[in-house]
Amino acid sequence: VAKTPHGSVVKRRSKSQIYQQSIRSCFSVASRLGLTPGQTKMRLNTSRKAPKSQNITDKVTPEHLALMIKTEWQLSYVTPLYQFRHTQLKSYARQLSAFIAAEKQQGLAVEVGGQQNTFKVSFSVLEGLAETNDDPETVLIQVQSKPLFARPDDPQKTVWSGWLSCINSNPEYLRSLSKDFTCLPLFGCKGAEGFTSLVKDWLQRTFDCCFGLLEISQTSLQWLAALWTNCHMESNVQSLKMHWALPVVPPLHVTYTVSADDALDLWNSVRKNSPEKSKRTDEEECVDIEEVTRFMQGLMSHFYRHFRVDLSAGDLTRVSTALGSAKRSGRIK
Amino acid sequence: MATLLNLSDSDFSVRNDQSLSNRTSNRSLRVAEKERKKNEAEDPFVLALKYFSEVEVGTPVIGNDELEKNLVQVEKVALNRGLSPEALSVMLEFAMSLRMGSSPCARVLKCLLPASVVPQEAVVRAVVWLSVGKIPISTQVLFIKWVLTVFDMIDAKDRLRAIYGFIFSFVTDENLCPFICHLLYLLTRKESVRVFRVRKLLELQSKLGRQPYLLHLLSLYKVFCPELVTLSIPSRMRSGFKNHISPWKSALMGVQKRNNLQVPSSISTAFAGKDKSTSRKRKLNHLELPAMSAVTNKEPQMEQTSRRKLVPLVQIQSFSQLLENMHRIELPSQMGSLLGSSLALQYLDCVQDEAALLRLNFWLGYALHEEFLFCSDGGANQNAGEALQFLNRLLCAQHFLQEGFPSSDAFLYKFLNVWDGSLLCPQILNLLSNIPVIPSSQIKTLLFEPLMQLFFTSSLFFKCGLIECLNHMLLKWLTWHSVYALEDDLDISLNSHTSINITLSGFKDSVMDLVHFVGRLASVGLQLEGCHSLLLNFILDFYETVCDTFLKFGLPLMVMPPPGVFYTAFFATDPVSVDRLAYIMHRYKVNLTSAKSQEKVTKQAFHINRQTFRDFNHYLVFMVNGLWNSNMCYTEANLQLSEELLEKSGVPQYSTRFDLIHHPAFMSYAVDFHQKCWPGRKDMDLNSIKQSKPWSWYLEYLYTQGFDGLKDFIQNNIGRWA
């Protein structure tokens, strides 16, 4: 699915970066739809290179980082935003809070920019998430609300948050778009369904963009399983957990947990050039799709030997490690 | 007084026009004038108006017979024919100024039925009186109701709009508020929406609650200035202002009927532009066209003044309005909404805004992909109706613009690979025929491979549909070529919106590929379907386009049909196919000869493949030999049958079996002709037709049966030789 050629197997300290990087690389879908006239085919990359490592802990404020890491996000893809300006965030916040207030109280007109007691929306730039110079900065949207019978000095509680982001984009694609468009193709959100649809609705109306649920394909999940296993070299991922759904009646769900050390052993055995060698030569690390497939095959045949269940007949629905988790329905943590 | 006389003058001109026409026309105009003047002085109606315009302040009402008499007079005229603009002014002025107190006021208002138009001035003056006099509240309401009823008949609205703020001040009055809101709704322009008015209305809202009239006015404000106010109207409130039962309505209709006036306006038209209620029925409503709404997200650098002048496209309701505001139209916030409105498409086609088209394309690509490619739960089956409607709308838009959208093309290339050939078949084929020229290098993977699979695995009807679709595609490509090639010979842009260019030779390659592709499909398809004549007809349709590429579309390209098509058509058992084949061969000949002569004249390097000529000559000789010379030759390169094999078949005189008499398609005509020619003869000898006289009669007979293709073919190819 991924359009961006740069994947990342990162060798860094911080857990957070590692998993964020790898996830991003899989989903920073410049355009899943291939909407530009010239590009009509999806590219499936067969090999991923590690980009120059950078430490995002230095660039992102700790609160934001904690927020990004600790929550499970539901992902969507977004078509380019029309007339989005990073300089106008304050006015967007005013408009969106008025919009939410108006939608929540059907049939009551609300002044834009007026005092809102119930909902407060903030737009902010999450600096430091961009990887290349072409990437537009990530935008964080938060909806805060005060409980109905709260005392006036009670702090407002964040009831919904979401972000629009673009990391490791395809510069060619970005340049082919005219200046009126901003490409922030990945949307993650957390919070009540009602708010999600309201915010999406408003974004759609305001920037003429469309949202679609982003499913994480089998292949991407396999990539994640392999890449996270690879991370075990630097940080403890504890164990590799995988969920499979088998199409039998009644449906069979299999949870397959492998200890990280074993998984890493298997991973190293399927690598074409062992990591030690590549480290010595100081080459850029490359992971091949074939290696990933072999890794998964190894895991599956192992399972078959023990339980006589062929997992390749089913679908991989979820992969998780201590670094994070990803579900096929597009939820990641 | 002078003004009054003046007024009544024109008043009567209305009335007397009709009677004048009845009178003998030989009377001079002057006599008529005199007559009218005389009538006027005596007319009680004129006197009544005079009375109302001159009556002194404080004249008693009770027991005033004169007032009663004059009022009755005015009422009579009003109910009968309606009041002239001038009379309206006088009566309105009289009523609103309360010169005789408030009691006759309501009565006068009730009879204010305009005959033609309502002068704006009078209304403005009356509104002013509204704040000066001590008019009872019920009368005030009555007056506003009257204004609402006759709103569309007010001759101009500029002065009324000028006192928008003044009218606005009445909203604070609880009784007047609903009606004032309605009036403001009708008067509001973008420049009248201001922050302080929004605040005032919101304040009222908090005082009065969610009143529909406030909401409707506010929703209009939102249309103009979404950056100031926002609201969402629940569906039960969407019906618009209540159509206030007005005492004038039926009387007004009667007056209009009597005057034969086609006043198109009734109060309800003021809401025609209101957004239709869009119910939220589906969770995944990506196929719903977004409602058209004004832009919230304005360019920050844009100046306040220039922004004021922009007209949102939502407000445009007719083509003339579109023309008037062409230069200052603001596109809606969601471009997808354009698809539903032909006016909007017209505008889009005209402005050629790159960003706007791109937005439309993003949305369209998203909707199509979500509906047909990403849906995992087979959602397409659940809402086939909706998908159908959507595609039809898309087709409509494409036909209107005479151009496909890049995103729908990109979608089709992908969709063809997963399509089963039956889901929404007509729509998909129709969309497919709209795709622009594909460069020869990609045409195979994008188009031919998936289509080939579909073609060979589908029913006869799909095959016919696909051939027809490819015929349309070819026609569009050729038309497009003939339009754009005139402008620039070599480099032609593929599509007016994209920058992909294609050279003439590249274009020729693509067309050639397409024609060859259809040739292959046709050859095999005819075999698979046992030379079905329906399929054959669609294929011949295609070749009717192909044979005329040079003369009709100016494309120096000639491709002959493959043997699989030619011989099948020639041996067909239905005369129509043979006739059409003859016509096609005739057109080939005309095209080839004119191409050749042009080649000689211009000495251009445009060169038709020698093989094409050779093929053509083969076919021609074969046809002439078979149909005319009764000397079918089976030793051609394409069709080799040994003599022994033919003799084995036991058919006598096999070489004559496909002449115009014995050809299975024409046999019945020959028999019929034979019977008509020699009615007495018992034994049928078809060969006797071959004698020169009956032969020419027979040809004439065939021509009268409507075989024009055959006629063209024979007259052009054989006439000279024979």
Side-chain angles (χ1 to χ4, degrees), chain B residues 86-130:
Chain B
E86 295 73 23
L88 275 175
S89 305
V90 172
M91 295 311 293
L92 196 58
E93 179 71 16
F94 165 76
M96 297 304 284
S97 62
L98 298 184
R99 253 178 281 172
M100 294 177 76
S102 55
S103 49
C105 183
R107 193 173 157 193
V108 169
L109 277 175
K110 275 183 188 147
C111 73
L112 287 180
L113 297 167
S116 52
V117 290
V118 179
Q120 176 183 219
E121 284 309 306
V123 180
V124 172
R125 278 189 71 89
V127 171
V128 175
W129 280 116
L130 207 57

Side-chain angles (χ1 to χ4, degrees), chain B residues 268-316:
Chain B
S268 54
T269 53
F271 302 102
K274 284 229 60 160
D275 51 349
K276 285 156 250 143
S277 61
T278 45
S279 53
R280 279 186 208 163
K281 41 188 185 291
R282 269 180 79 192
K283 205 175 169 195
L284 297 162
N285 47 357
H286 40 253
L287 281 192
E288 223 166 72
L289 300 189
M292 215 184 259
S293 57
V295 185
T296 339
N297 176 29
K298 301 274 164 66
E299 275 286 306
Q301 57 265 41
M302 216 156 53
E303 277 174 44
Q304 196 76 14
T305 46
S306 67
R307 202 198 284 178
R308 281 248 166 86
K309 285 187 191 129
L310 285 176
V311 180
L313 200 49
V314 206
Q315 289 291 306
I316 306 283

Side-chain angles (χ1 to χ4, degrees), chain B residues 290-362:
Chain B
M292 215 184 259
S293 57
V295 185
T296 339
N297 176 29
K298 301 274 164 66
E299 275 286 306
Q301 57 265 41
M302 216 156 53
E303 277 174 44
Q304 196 76 14
T305 46
S306 67
R307 202 198 284 178
R308 281 248 166 86
K309 285 187 191 129
L310 285 176
V311 180
L313 200 49
V314 206
Q315 289 291 306
I316 306 283
Q317 266 144 37
S318 70
F319 190 69
S320 54
Q321 271 180 322
L322 181 73
L323 285 182
E324 273 166 35
N325 298 301
M326 205 64 173
H327 54 291
R328 46 173 193 175
I329 279 179
E330 184 186 64
L331 285 165
S333 63
Q334 281 170 291
M335 290 298 289
S337 55
L338 289 192
L339 211 57
S341 142
S342 64
L343 267 182
L345 285 172
Q346 226 139 20
Y347 178 69
L348 186 71
D349 194 36
C350 188
V351 292
Q352 296 288 341
D353 183 345
E354 191 81 25
L357 277 165
L358 206 51
R359 282 158 68 196
L360 188 57
N361 266 313
F362 280 137

Side-chain angles (χ1 to χ4, degrees), chain B residues 460-689:
Chain B
L460 170 71
F461 294 101
F462 180 81
K463 290 189 174 93
C464 295
L466 185 63
I467 299 285
E468 192 194 15
C469 153
L470 292 173
N471 185 22
H472 285 311
M473 190 191 292
L474 180 69
L475 266 175
K476 274 168 198 162
W477 290 8
L478 291 172
T479 313
W480 168 84
H481 163 81
S482 63
V483 171
Y484 288 91
L486 293 176
E487 293 165 9
D488 184 358
D489 257 333
L490 282 176
D491 228 28
I492 18 186
S493 142
L494 247 188
N495 178 311
S496 55
H497 313 312
T498 57
S499 47
I500 308 166
N501 285 329
I502 189 165
T503 59
L504 185 60
S505 72
F507 176 74
K508 266 165 77 177
D509 284 346
S510 296
V511 171
M512 191 121 80
D513 284 347
L514 180 66
V515 176
H516 283 312
F517 173 68
V518 175
R520 283 201 303 282
L521 286 189
S523 303
V524 186
L526 283 171
Q527 272 182 16
L528 280 177
E529 300 293 340
C531 306
H532 200 285
S533 55
L534 186 63
L535 181 60
L536 185 60
N537 256 298
F538 280 102
I539 292 168
L540 291 176
D541 269 344
F542 182 79
Y543 281 101
E544 264 180 30
T545 313
V546 174
C547 69
D548 252 346
T549 41
F550 181 70
L551 281 180
K552 258 195 196 158
F553 302 100
L555 185 71
L557 182 81
M558 282 282 136
V559 185
M560 295 304 294
V565 172
F566 175 80
Y567 291 109
T568 313
F570 181 77
F571 292 127
T573 50
D574 59 319
V576 178
S577 301
V578 184
D579 178 61
R580 296 187 69 186
L581 181 68
Y583 171 76
I584 289 170
M585 290 304 286
H586 161 67
R587 289 306 301 177
Y588 267 119
K589 181 172 181 191
V590 174
N591 272 269
L592 283 169
T593 44
S594 82
K596 199 143 199 192
S597 61
Q598 198 187 331
E599 199 175 9
K600 271 181 201 151
V601 173
T602 55
K603 300 247 167 12
Q604 251 184 340
F606 147 51
H607 182 74
I608 288 177
N609 200 339
R610 290 185 64 84
Q611 186 61 40
T612 310
F613 282 109
R614 211 174 296 146
D615 284 347
F616 172 75
N617 286 331
H618 265 305
Y619 288 155
L620 192 67
V621 168
F622 181 83
M623 264 182 95
V624 171
N625 276 340
L627 289 177
W628 189 270
N629 297 340
S630 314
N631 181 23
M632 187 78 99
C633 180
Y634 293 101
T635 50
E636 281 197 55
N638 290 325
L639 191 75
Q640 281 184 340
L641 286 175
S642 66
E643 296 282 320
E644 297 88 58
L645 190 67
L646 287 165
E647 252 155 44
K648 250 190 209 169
S649 70
V651 180
Q653 291 176 304
Y654 49 81
S655 62
T656 66
R657 286 299 120 185
F658 285 98
D659 61 20
L660 276 176
I661 299 164
H662 295 98
H663 193 292
F666 296 105
M667 182 79 106
S668 63
Y669 290 94
V671 171
D672 190 35
F673 174 76
H674 190 275
Q675 278 169 353
K676 278 185 183 151
C677 200
W678 299 284
R681 256 207 241 179
K682 287 243 168 78
D683 56 332
M684 175 104 34
D685 179 19
L686 289 179
N687 278 328
S688 59
I689 301 177

